[in-house]
Amino acid sequence: MTSLDKPPLHGGIPVTSTVKWRFPAIHPEGQKFAAIAFGITLLMTILSKVFFWPLLGVTLWVAAFFRDPVRATPVGDDLIVSPADGLITMIERVPVPRELAGELGEAPMVRVSVFMSVFDVHINRSPIAGVVRQVVYISGKFLNADLDKASEENERQHFVVEGHDGRKVGFTQIAGLVARRIVAFAKIGDIVGAGQRVGLIRFGSRVDVFLPDGFVPQVALGQRAMAGETVLARLDGPAVSAIAQ
């Protein structure tokens, strides 16, 4: 992170108490797509000016899809942060995917699912600090990522990160109806920080997080999560509830 992201400290306290808003950067993975969309816009505009505004809108959407905002990640070995932006659609105890059983064990675990629409930020981040112990890519279908069976039938990529305390957190990137590409930035053996970028999915998808024993969900169904910022679960934390309003 740059010095703009980390204000200087005095006695452990930030010198400044304000942060200026700024436009999110476009992730390098998306810059080529934005350039292609802009090139098509210019080409079609030469043929007919009627294409300019609709195609410019598409170009701006492509750029926005790959936006990569700076996030302030809560730090603590007792916290698991959300790896994805989106809607909390499922919280339930389920069998562990067979691909993760070797690292996480075979006992059922609480799974928290975050659904990303095509309007959400699609950069995925590590839910904890630690070492990447497993990365497994599996080809598959492109069903609606909001369906429960998508976790077993869709194209997906599993991660397992082992924290400093030995606890392991598994999470899975799942492709959706529109998504056609899952990208990993991290590989086995990499040391990652909580909230560090580890991958992305193009275009619309879901991320499942498998909580170790003792971690209690700190989100509710229907709540929106922010990758690297929202506390998804807390060790021995209180159960939470929410009211739709």
Side-chain angles (χ1 to χ4, degrees):
M1 298 178 72
T2 67
S3 59
L4 290 176
D5 304 322
K6 290 184 176 180
L9 302 179
H10 179 70
I13 301 176
V15 173
T16 177
S17 60
T18 61
V19 176
K20 293 182 178 179
W21 185 88
R22 59 183 177 181
F23 281 101
I26 300 176
H27 192 274
E29 182 70 22
Q31 292 175 2
K32 56 185 176 183
F33 292 98
I36 291 171
F38 185 67
I40 293 174
T41 299
L42 293 180
L43 178 62
M44 295 302 292
T45 301
I46 294 174
L47 299 177
S48 174
K49 292 183 178 180
V50 73
F51 293 113
F52 177 74
W53 290 110
L55 290 179
L56 180 61
V58 173
T59 301
L60 293 175
W61 175 78
V62 171
F65 178 87
F66 288 101
R67 65 195 184 278
D68 186 12
V70 173
R71 295 286 167 82
T73 302
V75 177
D77 290 338
D78 62 335
L79 303 178
I80 295 176
V81 298
S82 178
D85 284 38
L87 188 70
I88 305 297
T89 57
M90 285 180 273
I91 302 175
E92 56 186 346
R93 187 172 292 275
V94 299
V96 174
R98 61 182 180 276
E99 298 86 4
L100 298 181
E103 289 287 344
L104 301 182
E106 298 184 354
M109 302 179 73
V110 173
R111 181 185 70 191
V112 180
S113 298
V114 185
F115 178 78
M116 296 179 286
S117 76
V118 294
F119 300 105
D120 287 312
V121 173
H122 272 58
I123 302 295
N124 298 147
R125 298 170 181 258
S126 177
I128 63 171
V131 180
V132 178
R133 294 301 186 194
Q134 187 174 22
V135 181
V136 181
Y137 170 80
I138 302 168
S139 61
K141 300 178 181 179
F142 296 96
L143 304 174
N144 185 347
D146 212 15
L147 299 175
D148 188 44
K149 63 181 179 180
S151 62
E152 298 179 354
E153 299 185 21
N154 278 23
E155 177 177 326
R156 57 200 181 275
Q157 185 161 247
H158 300 292
F159 285 87
V160 173
V161 179
E162 182 177 359
H164 306 306
D165 55 5
R167 292 188 177 89
K168 296 179 180 179
V169 176
F171 59 103
T172 304
Q173 299 171 295
I174 303 173
L177 278 173
V178 185
R180 288 297 184 271
R181 174 74 169 158
I182 298 177
V183 181
F185 306 151
K187 61 183 183 299
I188 295 175
D190 284 355
I191 299 175
V192 296
Q196 181 175 326
R197 300 160 180 82
V198 295
L200 66 81
I201 317 176
R202 310 193 300 248
F203 288 85
S205 40
R206 182 178 119 200
V207 175
D208 289 344
V209 186
F210 298 90
L211 306 182
D213 286 343
F215 279 84
V216 180
Q218 299 297 291
V219 291
L221 293 175
Q223 180 178 339
R224 291 197 59 81
M226 294 182 67
E229 288 197 351
T230 301
V231 175
L232 209 65
R234 186 185 300 270
L235 182 62
D236 298 326
V240 300
S241 58
I243 300 174
Q245 55 186 342

